[in-house]
Amino acid sequence: MSLQGAAEAEELIFYVNGRKVIEKNVDPEQMLLSYLRKRLLLTGTKYGCGGGGCGACTVMVSTYEPASKKIQHYSANACLLPICSLHGVAVTTVEGVGSTKTRVHPVQERLAKCHGSQCGFCTPGMVMSIYTLLRNHPEPTSEQMIAALAGNLCRCTGYRPILDACKTFCKESVCCQGKANGKCCLGQEDDLFDKEAKISTRLFSTNEFQPLDPTQELIFPPELMRMAENQPKRTLVFHGERMTWISPVSLDELLDLKAAHPKAPLVVGNTSVGPEMKFKGVFHPIVITPARIPDLNVVKYMHDGLTLGAACSLSLVKDILTNAISEFPEEKTKVFCAVFQQLRTLGGEQIRNVASLGGNIISRKPTSDLNPILAASNCMLNLASRGRKRQIALSDIFADGVGNNTITPEEILVSVHIPHSRKGEYVSAFRQAPRRENALPITNVGMRVLFEEDTDIIKDLSIFYGGAVSTTICAKQTCWTHIGRHWNEQMLDEACRLVLKEIALPDSASGEKVAYKKTLVISFFYRFFLQVLQSLKTMDPCLYTDIPLEYKSVLQNFKTKMPQSIQIYQDIEPSQCPQDPVGRPIMHQSGIKHATGEAVYIDDLPSVDGELFLAVVTSSRAHAKILSVQSVSEESVIMSCCLRFLEQTNELCVYRTVCLVPALAQVICVGQIVCAVVADSDVHAKQAAAKVQIEYEVLEPVILTIEEAIKHNSFFEPKRKLEQGNVDQAFETVDNIIEGEIHIGGQEHFYMETQSVLAVPKGEDKEMDVYVSTQHPATIQEMVAASLGVPANRIMCHVKRVGGAFGGKLLKAGLLASVAAVAANKTSRAVRLILSRGDGMLITGGHPFLGKYKVGFLNGRIRAVDAKYYINGGCTPDASVLVAEVSLLKMDNAYKIPNLRCWAYACKTNLPSNTAFRGFGFPQSGLVTETWITEVADKTGLSPEKIREINMYKENEQTHFKQKLDPQNLIQCWNECMEKSAYYRRKTAVNFNKQNYWKKKGISIVPMKFPFGLDTRYLSQAAALVHIYTDGSVLLTHGGIEMGQGIHTKMIQVASRELNIPMSCIHFCETSTTTVPNACASAGSAGTDVNGMAMKDACQTLLKRLQPIINKNPKGTWNDWIKKAFEQSVSLSATGYFRGYIENMDWEKGEGQPFTYFLYGAACSEVEINCLTGDQKNLRTDIVMDIGCSINPAVDIGQIEGAFVQGIGLYTMEELKYSPEGVLCTQGPDQYKIPAVCDIPEQFSVSLLSPSQNPYAIYASKGIGEAGFFLGCSVFLALRDAVTSVRNERGLKKTFALNSPLTAEQIRAGCADDFTEMVTNDESASSTPRAISV
């Protein structure tokens, strides 16, 4: 059938939130996300990554099946759903679930009241995933709830409060763990805290929640039911600007179309073709979607297996297999079980709900989790083309690697036949990925063996690997060679050696080393060997020997369970006024708006008339001269410009930091902005930017790594040094010296809201409004003004809220705002710049770190330390020198080091300039210290906790820069953490490690001293502005930025206490340079401290003015006093000011008072590792934290948990990988894995130390935003403990190095065994990696 012969569809009809949408000019390239946001102005659905990897854009799709008369609801990623695929369906967005204007839905209410939103950007997606599950299962199990959230990422909360909200919907009872030590409420042990008064463990009250009533939900539109039942199906054709979308309704039509357009892809879920078009520039002028063809949606139970249509979604396949497994005898379902096992972790629910079985097979991606097991299981493919039908083995399409042409371009995969397993047949599938769920595999495998009847003689063997090379590959020779052999140890050894030779693995672009992949290849086969042996033993206990008991646990995968958690804090004094909110767990001021999607972020702002869109063009070379820039000339492109707005310099200075601006004559990193394109739509801008041609002349040297910077002496000045005592002499008096180094990789901020700017010229006096997602509006104002050559008073910078920042929205945001402002100034029109996730990751980053140390000790007591820290600063200084300074000042962590010499160097390299990140150098230098503490323990034979206790600060002492500290709270945190975690009892229970050879547990407890301060007084000044209106309502503003840490909520709490009025009378509008000038950055955990002081000052000023009126009428109301004040001409507006903390550091003398006070804490974590794969699971974490007197325990505990989980990311999983040319390989959630729901501890306890007085901060509180991050290293050290247990058991040499992040690859390498030895001896494993450690 030709394209011209297809009937035209007059219009696309679907429903959104119960309202009919008729679209007559459909663009097949448009995804639902942009349509919702730009056309329907439903901005609650967020852009997070554009590739279906984060869940921020989750919506619910509802369809009606007239044959069964059933309505189906499923969650999907709007960023991957072409609107052309929505004909006849109903879409529900977060706005359709509930709103503050109509009714807040129980899901939205509970997420907010359980404190499940911080920055709030991911919250609408969370709401939609939970809501969709509840539409299908009003009383879900905890397993269903956990699975529903596997495709949603959150960077702020650490997931615990989100899961608390989820638990309130689950039908099974969840252990309350109501006792303050975190023990089960059913436990018989004495509770250490039963006798203590004023302890609270409740952050919310379930009594406040409205019940879930399924009868109150939106109904499926009756008109769509009538359309489905009455209107005959017809082929739909939609023509766009560049693409045509065809949706046939019969197999014959499809075959005709495929014959006419053999190169046209078939698209069902768009999870493969969509990302290729979006991220790789692949273009298809014609796309055919077969989703409505009955033949491709068939489900048939045959006598010999299951036949499933190629268009069946993976979720449907999973459900069908679940039913089949329960209905058929176990002997027949082994293939079904293995396929089901892979489907459980393949993508998130949103992906599985739309991705098709056929698409997964035909794409032949190396990362397919299904193809290896389907191929190994002898699954058959039913193919059709015009005039021809045939059946082939699925394994045939992988016979000759990626060039295989078994299926012709005209052929269609109609269905897949999955056979029953037979007697004597055993089937398994395994995978290892950077994250256990919603992550592409590093390596996976499908294995099947068939034995001669009632023997262990191999009749047939089939092994297919995925993730290893460019497509699924068969170990044919290994399989053929072992037919007729017995299933025994000799066969295992020979098969492992043979498969290593047969499977030739090149280094992957994603950076995993070949050695790890090869180890997995044979480790998987060994696990299959054990599994089959155990099955044979079960079949005939007399004939076959059982596998050793200590090997059995490795046959069980780690599973994600609903975590149990408890939060312990000091309750308020009974005498506190009920209206006084300070110290209470108050819900985030924007929590409900987060959950309803009504909270407005930069890209949610309405379009300005005549608005233009900007896309940046970045360098593809690390160090090169620009010879020419050739831009495009198209009608849609308003302007292509090189933005050479600072002709004299390539750098812009702000305070003590330097930022890179767009390139002039040369580029000094990949990702440097060279020029920009401004067009009438974001699509046209990006298309035009992709066409810009830049000619380079490569320059030398190209310095990428810290080692190369050291070699070329490439550093930013100044280098910093701290020294105390006599280090050289001390080394002569010790009995032991260790030397070593540790590399700590960089970390991507991965804020959910990407960098966003809207610059709006005001039309007169060169004024401009700049709406920007930033931590520092004053810097934005200064940089934009400098770029435009106007005074700062012409630039008005506005920030309502920020969707996460973590240090990454300081100088980088200023650079991007300047680019947008220049374009807006040149065109005299508003310009919007929203960075894609890939561009954002390319342009920003946190510092890679190398620590080298020499440590001398005597009987476990540290006597001397000589250390050097190198941080990879990238191509400009940015904040790198400051980060180096902080890493020096905080390197002691909790330990007294009498003799110390330490250097810090900020390396100048040809990487994108690295910037501030949560913790600002302490998480790195602190881990170096904890590493050598652990090595000292190894050397002395003492336990790590004993070494920590010996060397911990114990009295009023001085730090290495001569600042006094009182470590009383440090000791108290340590002791409480020891008790609450039952550390010694759990550590001495070593039976698990003795009884399990391939799985081991590890435990570690770590203290923390976190100094608070910004080193310079003027960086901690703050101001606030408070207006009281004549109706008694109060409007606040201050210089702090709300980015998830609840600063506005706390400021309202402060004003409520000071003015003695309810929080409901107080409103915060926005942070703006027009109301509070010259505000310092919201950074360094200081936001509440300094702005709270300013807010208190402003409120006290107002109260002082009102006091005479109150004295005259003490029984009057607040409104009475305000009206009287106005009548008496008393000013009802006041500014408050805080001059900043007196902090200083003399680097020449190496001493000073750079910090105002100290926070203390301790964390104990227990983990379990799989020695065969390197996989790991966090079993339990207990945290005790000293934060003074908490202003809001719910917010503060949320900050501790969120920081801790982000720390787990730094230390155990988040890897930034660069090519040898300096190109970032990990540019999105597909390649870069932040912690997900599956990564948090199964048991998670956070306790706030009994309040202690802190005279320096507002209401004796302490700045908590960053401190918890470092405690994530307790997981790193617990993993190290587990690896140490393995190595000790196997008699391996004690000294071994583990770098951060401590990924599965490193864990597996540390657990050396016969398999790693085989790989080491295999010559082909020693090739040059395609990813480098920077």
Side-chain angles (χ1 to χ4, degrees), residues 494-514:
E494 291 177 12
C496 287
R497 296 182 190 282
L498 192 54
V499 81
L500 274 180
K501 288 185 171 62
E502 185 175 359
I503 306 294
L505 298 181
D507 280 282
S508 67
S510 57
E512 286 87 12
K513 294 182 177 64
V514 165

Side-chain angles (χ1 to χ4, degrees), residues 232-254:
K233 283 188 176 181
R234 61 195 181 95
T235 300
L236 301 174
V237 180
F238 301 109
H239 295 289
E241 195 175 290
R242 306 190 306 161
M243 180 192 286
T244 298
W245 175 280
I246 313 174
S247 176
V249 292
S250 73
L251 182 58
D252 287 340
E253 279 183 276
L254 176 62

Side-chain angles (χ1 to χ4, degrees), residues 753-1038:
E753 178 197 27
T754 61
Q755 299 272 4
S756 307
V757 184
L758 175 61
V760 185
K762 299 186 80 171
E764 58 179 312
D765 296 328
K766 298 183 179 179
E767 291 180 351
M768 186 176 290
D769 280 318
V770 182
Y771 301 89
V772 59
S773 181
T774 182
Q775 298 169 250
H776 200 179
T779 287
I780 305 294
Q781 181 186 40
E782 183 178 340
M783 293 177 73
V784 169
S787 301
L788 299 180
V790 300
N793 63 4
R794 310 299 167 87
I795 308 300
M796 279 62 77
C797 185
H798 308 268
V799 185
K800 181 79 171 178
R801 61 177 57 83
V802 172
F806 316 113
K809 292 182 176 177
L810 291 161
L811 293 179
K812 299 290 184 183
L815 163 63
L816 295 165
S818 299
V819 171
V822 168
N825 187 55
K826 281 179 176 282
T827 59
S828 298
R829 289 163 70 176
V831 170
R832 192 179 294 250
L833 166 56
I834 312 296
L835 275 193
S836 69
R837 176 64 64 188
D839 281 344
M841 292 186 71
L842 193 65
I843 291 170
T844 66
H847 294 89
F849 192 100
L850 176 65
K852 298 186 176 187
Y853 51 85
K854 178 182 177 184
V855 180
F857 50 99
L858 186 63
N859 299 323
R861 188 172 297 280
I862 309 299
R863 304 301 303 164
V865 172
D866 193 353
K868 290 183 178 179
Y869 301 144
Y870 301 90
I871 68 171
N872 194 326
C875 57
T876 67
D878 199 285
S880 295
V881 173
L882 298 180
V883 173
E885 291 176 359
V886 171
S887 67
L888 277 186
L889 293 170
K890 299 185 180 182
M891 60 79 59
D892 58 329
N893 189 20
Y895 311 111
K896 177 70 176 175
I897 307 171
N899 302 285
L900 167 71
R901 180 169 58 230
C902 198
W903 285 89
Y905 305 84
C907 300
K908 182 178 182 180
T909 64
N910 294 115
L911 289 182
S913 187
N914 287 311
T915 191
F917 199 106
R918 196 176 201 169
F920 212 70
F922 171 57
Q924 289 79 15
S925 64
L927 180 63
V928 177
T929 297
E930 293 301 334
T931 297
W932 54 252
I933 283 281
T934 309
E935 288 185 12
V936 168
D938 290 344
K939 191 79 172 177
T940 59
L942 296 172
S943 64
E945 66 274 10
K946 187 67 177 174
I947 298 297
R948 291 185 171 99
E949 287 175 347
I950 290 171
N951 292 284
M952 214 180 290
Y953 286 112
K954 294 187 178 64
E955 303 166 358
N956 289 342
E957 298 187 73
Q958 285 190 342
T959 63
H960 54 294
F961 46 86
K962 298 182 174 55
Q963 180 165 348
K964 293 179 180 177
L965 81 154
D966 177 3
Q968 180 183 342
N969 285 3
L970 170 65
I971 303 300
Q972 195 175 340
C973 284
W974 175 262
N975 291 338
E976 279 199 23
C977 191
M978 277 283 188
E979 289 182 15
K980 290 183 177 179
S981 66
Y983 178 80
Y984 283 115
R985 177 176 60 79
R986 288 160 61 201
K987 186 169 184 181
T988 52
V990 292
N991 284 344
F992 181 90
N993 284 0
K994 285 183 178 177
Q995 293 171 0
N996 292 274
Y997 185 80
W998 292 112
K999 281 189 176 176
K1000 300 292 181 187
K1001 288 184 179 179
I1003 190 169
S1004 179
I1005 185 166
V1006 179
M1008 179 193 68
K1009 168 181 66 66
F1010 186 88
F1012 170 93
L1014 298 169
D1015 189 12
T1016 307
R1017 183 169 191 175
Y1018 69 81
L1019 291 180
S1020 59
Q1021 60 184 307
L1025 178 62
V1026 180
H1027 299 316
I1028 306 176
Y1029 295 94
T1030 53
D1031 66 350
S1033 63
V1034 176
L1035 179 67
L1036 310 180
T1037 187
H1038 55 88

Side-chain angles (χ1 to χ4, degrees), residues 496-497 500 514-523 1313-1326:
C496 287
R497 296 182 190 282
L500 274 180
V514 165
Y516 179 47
K517 289 195 170 192
K518 281 186 168 276
T519 304
L520 287 176
V521 162
I522 52 178
S523 295
D1313 53 29
D1314 291 343
F1315 303 119
T1316 56
E1317 184 70 21
M1318 278 186 197
V1319 172
T1320 303
N1321 295 334
D1322 184 62
E1323 294 180 355
S1324 61
S1326 56

